Amino acid sequence: MFFRRKQTNPPPADIDSRLAAFDQAYAGLFPDDPKPWDAPPPASPAGVPGAVPKKGLFGKSRWYWFSRGFAAFLLLLMIIIFWLAVTAPLSKSLQPIAPPRITLLAWDGTPIARNGAITDKPVKIKDLPPHVVDAFLSIEDRRFYTHWGVDPRGLARAVWSNTFGSGITQGGSTITQQLAKFTFLTSERSITRKAREALIAFWLEAWLTKDEILERYLSNAYFGDNIYGLRAASMHYFYRKPENLTLSQSVMLAGLVQAPNRLAPTRNPARAAKRAKLVLNAMVANGKLTEAKADATPIARVDVRYKETLPTGTYFADWAMPQARLQADYGYADQTIRTTLDSRLQNIARNAIARAPLGKAQVALVAMRKNGEVVAMVGGRSYKESPFNRVTQAKRQPGSTFKLFVYLAALRAGNTPETMVDDSPITEGLYRPKNSSERYRGQITFKQAFAQSSNVAAVRLYRQLGDEAVVRAARDLGIESPLNKDPILALGSSGITLMELTAAFAGVAGNQWPVAPRAFVSEEQGWLEWIFSGERSFDSRTHSALLELLSATVNEGTGRNARLAIPTYGKTGTSQDNRDALFIGFAGDLVVGVWIGNDDNTPLKGVNGGGLPARIWADFMRQAVKGAGARPRPKPVQKAPDPEGPVEPLDLPEIPDMPEIPIDISKPDIRIDRDTGVTVSGEIEGVPMDVTLGRDGVDVRTRENKAARR
């Protein structure tokens, strides 16, 4: 008997099929539930059936990020190009990298100082001997004509040498990078600066030819001894134009650019010679020179013919040089500029200070014309010991010289030199200043208070006028330093430079303010320029009153030591605890300020504004201003002897000429005696007298009248 088995579906052979069967059975039991497995399959990428595309970062595709990154790169590139166009113009590489040398002359043409780099006009590659170019390229950048501004091989060699070499640091910068660095960038060592250097190098390579880059590099490189550029270096070290340099001279100059100050042949000839040999070996390795030629090349001999005899700086030159740079034509050539300094007056100023018994104190003196032209300046006892300029840089308390602005504000308010002010002690308020030596005079005039430099009167005026009026008066006359606004300002508590203060007095002297001190003669202003210049002047009443106050100080007050033989005006100043002593004044066509003090601001001993500063001021002015010295006594007119005339006895004293006596002499009797002289006896107006002319002069005696006695 045969049995037949029931036919059934074979179970799924793979796990996916089994899961699908399970899903179908589950769906039959729960027909209302969603069936995610029935969703259409995602589209397959082209050419990959059934493949699912991969998602990128943050769910974005790779193409999305690539397109955005490329756009950002283009934007960054445009920003860099714009930055280079603004901050690194190509024309800058045609200019000297250091300020060229400027020679300052005194007004009479005498050179007084020379400052700046020694430069000369640029070189041309086509005019230079081949060995000059080969020397620089062999030691600095062998692949200069083949790379694009940055040399990867040279950079890798420098990294390897610095990492595994002998410890001697090597640079991987090309000549283009070096030009970019010293033309457009600073000398800082950082990755950011190197990146900027590379970018500028690419920029230069894109816009300039190789010869132009090399010409600009050679014309600006530093060669030591304050020399910039190949032309200036060849003239300085060898007194020869670069077009005529020999091989030995070329290799020595090429070796200097690595460390100019350390390798300069004028300072270290042995190091310079050793470096020159290294350059010759580099030329041999570069195929520009044979070994035999290199061995036969001698060491170049230095031929320095120019030696600097002028100082690089003085007190006046340090102040004038920035002004000279502004008006100089910017280029490679040396320039000579005439200043307002008067050599004669400068010598007088130095001598006046040298004669003063200063002890250890410092001193400053500045003299200017009424229009602000500075003609003499001494910023300290010794520029060599201390180049700090106490005329222009030191802000010290002006003391009572500041009272000029207090009284100017008072005159503007309608007062006069005869207006009365209280010179009695201040007993109210927190601030109670005292007069010098605590002398008080009660009710006195403005003129007396200013001349005697009354502190209490100045403070009372300040409080009456208000700080705004006093500060405005100071600002009008050119004081730019910060001023504190409290009553102590009336006594000069705020720091002001001597230059500012002297210029303010110049505004009063010339009645044209504010006065701007300057080192060079300015062009005459036209009427339109004068209108918009901002210069003003006092009315006649105010100007006359100011002159009266300043004159009284010298003639009647604290400035007597500054009196001259011509009209003199000025003001003394002594700061708190005698830390500063000043005298500022004017006479003739000069306005002069003198300051004495200690740099550490310690008190002076026995020095005040009316003492030593006033005497230095007068000593200077008596020699500087015509007629300012003491009037000399008239010399007697001496007649030449007449050889044909009578011979006079020389052993008798001269008898002075006697004036006519309009009186009646009766009964004259003349007697001559060898011992007593000549005696004239008689009656003068009825009185008997004897008049004797002898060796001791004239003797007049009365005689008794015998008739009268009777």
Side-chain angles (χ1 to χ4, degrees):
M1 180 174 183
F2 297 97
F3 293 92
R4 180 181 295 180
R5 296 183 62 182
K6 186 177 179 178
Q7 299 292 328
T8 60
N9 293 329
D14 57 279
I15 187 65
D16 292 330
S17 300
R18 292 180 182 180
L19 290 174
F22 175 81
D23 291 337
Q24 292 294 333
Y26 182 87
L29 296 175
F30 303 96
D32 296 329
D33 287 352
K35 303 176 179 57
W37 50 84
D38 291 335
S44 300
V48 186
V52 179
K54 296 182 179 180
K55 296 292 184 180
L57 188 64
F58 301 113
K60 302 295 184 181
S61 65
R62 294 177 180 177
W63 171 253
Y64 173 88
W65 289 114
F66 175 78
S67 61
R68 297 304 189 275
F70 184 72
F73 173 77
L74 290 179
L75 179 61
L76 179 62
L77 183 62
M78 293 177 62
I79 293 175
I80 291 174
I81 293 174
F82 176 77
W83 172 77
L84 288 173
V86 173
T87 64
L90 289 175
S91 59
K92 190 175 181 181
S93 63
L94 287 173
Q95 300 172 349
I97 62 175
R101 188 169 54 177
I102 291 180
T103 301
L104 297 180
L105 307 178
W107 181 245
D108 60 359
T110 304
I112 57 176
R114 182 175 289 124
N115 187 276
I118 301 175
T119 60
D120 209 331
K121 62 183 180 180
V123 297
K124 293 292 183 182
I125 296 299
K126 63 181 180 63
D127 298 331
L128 297 176
H131 56 255
V132 174
V133 177
D134 292 339
F136 280 92
L137 295 185
S138 297
I139 195 65
E140 291 296 321
D141 191 357
R142 297 182 185 180
R143 282 173 291 278
F144 172 72
Y145 280 100
T146 58
H147 63 64
W148 278 81
V150 177
D151 185 8
R153 290 175 57 187
L155 185 61
R157 184 181 69 252
V159 172
W160 178 268
S161 176
N162 296 336
T163 305
F164 303 104
S166 61
I168 300 177
T169 303
Q170 293 188 14
S173 296
T174 64
I175 281 180
T176 312
Q177 287 177 275
Q178 293 181 52
L179 177 63
K181 179 178 66 176
F182 60 61
T183 304
F184 302 106
L185 303 174
T186 63
S187 58
E188 66 168 326
R189 294 184 178 182
S190 65
I191 297 178
T192 303
R193 199 270 294 164
K194 293 295 292 184
R196 296 173 66 195
E197 178 184 295
L199 286 172
I200 297 177
F202 286 130
W203 170 268
L204 293 173
E205 291 278 352
W207 289 95
L208 299 175
T209 66
K210 287 289 186 178
D211 284 352
E212 289 174 335
I213 293 175
L214 186 57
E215 287 171 353
R216 299 183 187 204
Y217 169 79
L218 294 177
S219 300
N220 284 293
Y222 181 54
F223 289 87
D225 283 1
N226 202 29
I227 309 296
Y228 289 82
L230 180 61
R231 186 175 301 280
S234 61
M235 291 297 297
H236 173 72
Y237 290 115
F238 304 114
Y239 201 68
R240 179 172 294 201
K241 295 181 179 180
E243 293 81 5
N244 300 325
L245 285 171
T246 64
L247 175 60
S248 60
Q249 294 167 343
S250 301
V251 296
M252 181 168 284
L253 291 176
L256 297 182
V257 294
Q258 183 193 56
N261 292 326
R262 185 167 57 90
L263 299 173
T266 52
R267 303 179 184 180
N268 301 297
R271 290 181 179 178
K274 184 178 180 180
R275 179 69 176 173
K277 284 292 185 181
L278 183 63
V279 176
L280 286 172
N281 295 335
M283 293 180 70
V284 173
N286 197 27
K288 301 298 182 180
L289 201 64
T290 63
E291 290 189 12
K293 180 67 173 177
D295 294 338
T297 302
I299 299 299
R301 297 181 59 184
V302 176
D303 182 12
V304 178
R305 302 188 183 185
Y306 177 82
K307 293 184 179 180
E308 185 61 75
T309 57
L310 288 177
T312 57
T314 64
Y315 290 118
F316 179 84
D318 290 351
W319 173 69
M321 192 61 70
Q323 302 177 52
R325 295 285 177 199
L326 293 176
Q327 70 178 51
D329 296 329
Y330 198 72
Y332 287 91
D334 291 357
Q335 298 190 52
T336 301
I337 302 179
R338 187 187 302 270
T339 70
T340 58
L341 189 77
D342 189 308
S343 299
R344 182 183 71 89
L345 297 180
Q346 181 69 15
N347 289 330
I348 293 174
R350 282 198 295 259
N351 293 334
I353 287 176
R355 288 190 292 267
L358 294 167
K360 296 183 179 180
Q362 278 290 350
V363 64
L365 183 151
V366 61
M368 64 179 66
R369 305 291 182 192
K370 295 178 181 180
N371 61 359
E373 294 178 358
V374 176
V375 294
M377 179 186 293
V378 179
R381 298 178 61 170
S382 171
Y383 180 84
K384 183 178 180 180
E385 295 178 1
S386 173
F388 180 73
N389 194 334
R390 294 156 188 85
V391 171
T392 61
Q393 295 176 282
K395 288 192 174 184
R396 303 294 293 255
Q397 291 187 4
S400 293
T401 58
F402 193 86
K403 292 174 183 176
L404 170 70
F405 311 115
V406 177
Y407 281 82
L408 170 58
L411 294 175
R412 285 176 167 177
N415 297 285
T416 70
E418 301 305 320
T419 301
M420 303 302 293
V421 63
D422 187 5
D423 184 38
S424 60
I426 295 177
T427 57
E428 70 280 353
L430 298 177
Y431 178 55
R432 301 180 181 183
K434 298 179 180 179
N435 285 347
S436 177
S437 302
E438 298 192 28
R439 294 182 58 188
Y440 303 94
R441 302 167 184 83
Q443 291 292 325
I444 58 176
T445 64
F446 271 27
K447 183 177 178 179
Q448 292 172 318
F450 190 84
Q452 300 300 328
S453 199
S454 170
N455 291 336
V456 295
V459 171
R460 282 192 170 96
L461 286 175
Y462 182 93
R463 288 173 173 170
Q464 294 173 10
L465 299 165
D467 50 28
E468 293 297 335
V470 175
V471 171
R472 183 170 61 252
R475 298 295 186 216
D476 286 346
L477 287 179
I479 301 299
E480 298 179 352
S481 296
L483 301 174
N484 59 289
K485 296 182 178 180
D486 51 57
I488 196 173
L489 177 63
L491 307 184
S493 60
S494 295
I496 299 174
T497 66
L498 183 63
M499 181 72 85
E500 283 181 282
L501 201 56
T502 307
F505 276 72
V508 177
N511 196 17
Q512 196 77 28
W513 43 269
V515 171
R518 55 180 181 268
F520 305 96
V521 177
S522 60
E523 297 181 359
E524 290 290 336
Q525 290 183 341
W527 65 271
L528 189 60
E529 294 175 327
W530 177 80
I531 292 176
F532 292 99
S533 65
E535 293 182 348
R536 291 174 289 170
S537 59
F538 299 112
D539 59 78
S540 59
R541 182 194 67 84
T542 302
H543 188 236
S544 298
L546 286 173
L547 294 181
E548 186 176 349
L549 296 178
L550 293 168
S551 176
T553 299
V554 177
N555 295 320
E556 308 168 14
T558 57
R560 291 185 180 90
N561 285 323
R563 280 184 291 190
L564 304 174
I566 59 176
T568 310
Y569 310 88
K571 185 71 185 76
T572 59
T574 308
S575 66
Q576 189 176 11
D577 297 328
N578 291 63
R579 288 184 170 88
D580 305 271
L582 305 95
F583 186 86
I584 318 290
F586 51 90
D589 63 342
L590 288 182
V591 186
V592 180
V594 177
W595 167 88
I596 297 176
N598 293 315
D599 285 341
D600 59 2
N601 208 31
T602 55
L604 299 166
K605 295 182 179 179
V607 179
N608 55 58
L612 188 55
R615 288 194 291 270
I616 294 175
W617 187 92
D619 187 12
F620 172 82
M621 295 294 277
R622 288 190 183 105
Q623 302 173 71
V625 180
K626 185 178 180 180
R631 294 186 178 90
R633 295 179 180 179
K635 296 181 180 180
V637 179
Q638 297 181 355
K639 298 181 179 179
D642 184 2
E644 304 298 331
V647 178
E648 298 181 357
L650 302 179
D651 58 343
L652 293 177
E654 293 185 7
I655 300 176
D657 296 335
M658 296 294 295
E660 294 185 6
I661 304 177
I663 55 179
D664 179 27
I665 301 178
S666 61
K667 302 178 182 179
D669 180 21
I670 301 176
R671 299 187 304 275
I672 299 177
D673 186 270
R674 178 174 298 179
D675 297 326
T676 60
V678 180
T679 301
V680 178
S681 299
E683 293 183 1
I684 302 176
E685 300 294 336
V687 179
M689 289 187 176
D690 292 335
V691 180
T692 302
L693 302 178
R695 296 179 183 272
D696 298 329
V698 180
D699 182 23
V700 179
R701 296 182 180 182
T702 60
R703 291 183 290 105
E704 293 184 357
N705 193 329
K706 296 181 180 180
R709 277 192 307 199
R710 290 196 294 266

